[in-house]
């Protein structure tokens, strides 16, 4: 039986930059292995660690289109949607959709990280 989810790995062109983004967003730390510069982990926050791995020829997902599907996205619980949006944008995220402003039943906003992966900030 599987004991636990060890990490979620995100493909990207620049694993150091992406790991730094998520470390700052989540209040974690970047953990690099000097023998493997193509794999950088983000640890030290509540939840499953994230790993960022270099992929030659990486192409960012095309959200919401499906020419280059997202395949995975991350959801993060927040207490202050406006404040966390400002912080994410200052760290290098971009807004894809403010879903909460489009649908009255929605409590999330969709962003792209610096490598183009969609993620949501969800008010809880």
């Amino acid at each position: 039986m599987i004991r636990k989810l060890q990490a979620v790995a995100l493909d990207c062109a620049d694993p150091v930059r992406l790991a730094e983004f998520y470390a700052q967003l989540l209040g974690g730390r970047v953990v690099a292995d000097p023998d493997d510069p193509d794999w950088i982990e983000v640890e030290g926050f509540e939840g499953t660690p994230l790993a960022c791995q270099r992929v030659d020829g990486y192409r960012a997902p095309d959200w919401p289109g499906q020419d280059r599907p997202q395949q995975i996205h991350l959801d993060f619980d927040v207490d202050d949607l406006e404040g966390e949006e400002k912080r994410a944008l200052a760290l290098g995220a971009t807004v894809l959709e403010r879903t909460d402003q489009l649908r009255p039943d929605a409590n999330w906003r969709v962003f792209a990280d610096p490598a183009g992966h969609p993620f949501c900030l969800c008010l809880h």
Side-chain angles (χ1 to χ4, degrees), residues 18-108:
L18 191 59
E20 288 172 348
F21 169 81
Y22 279 111
Q24 291 177 20
L25 184 72
L26 299 171
R29 67 184 178 282
V30 174
V31 179
D33 178 351
D35 295 327
D36 189 1
D38 293 338
W39 180 272
I40 310 291
E41 293 188 7
V42 180
E43 301 175 351
F45 60 92
E46 187 176 334
T48 301
L50 292 175
C52 304
Q53 69 177 354
R54 184 183 324 277
V55 172
D56 291 333
Y58 172 75
R59 294 174 51 206
D62 179 28
W63 188 93
Q66 292 299 306
D67 290 337
R68 292 185 313 272
Q70 62 181 327
Q71 298 179 15
I72 187 172
H73 77 271
L74 305 170
D75 287 349
F76 300 107
D77 286 346
V78 300
D79 293 322
D80 176 6
L81 195 53
E82 295 294 331
E84 290 302 318
E85 174 178 307
K86 287 178 186 172
R87 201 166 70 77
L89 295 176
L91 293 171
T94 55
V95 175
L96 295 178
E97 180 179 272
R98 289 186 176 99
T99 312
D100 65 316
Q101 296 174 2
L102 300 174
R103 295 184 13 213
D105 62 327
N107 66 338
W108 67 91

Side-chain angles (χ1 to χ4, degrees), residues 1-7 47-49:
M1 175 181 269
I2 294 173
R3 190 166 54 98
K4 71 175 187 173
L5 177 61
Q6 178 180 324
T48 301

